[in-house]
Every structure is written in C-alpha cells, then in structure tokens.
Amino acid sequence: VLSGILGALLAQGLSRQEACRLGTILHALSGEKAACVKTAYSVRSTDLIEHIPDIFKRLLELRGATFHTYLPQRLKNSSCPPQ
C-alpha cells in the first residue's frame, strides 16, 4: 500500500522528499483509522486503502497545520472513540 501511495504522489509531480513525507503520513493515519474500525488485530493491508481518501481530504483541509504535532493528534482523536 505504501509503495502505491508513493508512486501515485511521485506521478503527480511531488519531489521524492515530499512524496515520502506525505505518503508516510497518509499510510500511518489510514492504518490508525482502519485499526479503529476493525481493531489492530484484524487490519489487513487492503483495509487501509478505503480510508486513504478521507485522510487525504482531512490533510487538505488542515493544510496549514504543523504535521508533527497538531495534525496526527487531531486526526487520531477525531477518528477513534476513547478506549
């Protein structure tokens, strides 16, 4: 899944560094969201794919946010109920 995300971002003209940063974030957050829906024990790689569009949309909406602090925490908190 990650290699597909990276390939798609590179094909759209992002630099290797930009594609790696954004692709890693998309992959990680999609995995977290899939784990919230299916539990961490039953997530398969294909489960991530269905969450990529939603995560990407949220990233675009929060474009001005700082990726390393605000964005991952906000997305994680908004997609999972407390455990």
Side-chain angles (χ1 to χ4, degrees):
V1 175
L2 180 58
S3 62
I5 293 171
L6 295 176
L9 294 172
L10 289 168
Q12 293 180 45
L14 273 69
S15 71
R16 285 182 283 173
Q17 186 175 18
E18 291 170 331
C20 286
R21 285 182 180 167
L22 179 56
T24 302
I25 290 169
L26 279 170
H27 185 267
L29 294 176
S30 296
E32 287 181 6
K33 186 161 185 176
C36 290
V37 173
K38 299 236 178 176
T39 77
Y41 298 105
S42 61
V43 171
R44 296 176 295 165
S45 59
T46 55
D47 296 328
L48 276 67
I49 295 168
E50 68 185 73
H51 298 290
I52 291 171
D54 181 53
I55 297 297
F56 196 79
K57 181 180 175 187
R58 290 180 184 215
L59 289 172
L60 289 174
E61 291 169 355
L62 301 169
R63 192 179 299 181
T66 303
F67 281 130
H68 299 292
T69 56
Y70 174 75
L71 184 59
Q73 191 63 35
R74 175 165 180 201
L75 288 173
K76 183 176 179 182
N77 287 343
S78 67
S79 62
C80 275
Q83 297 181 3

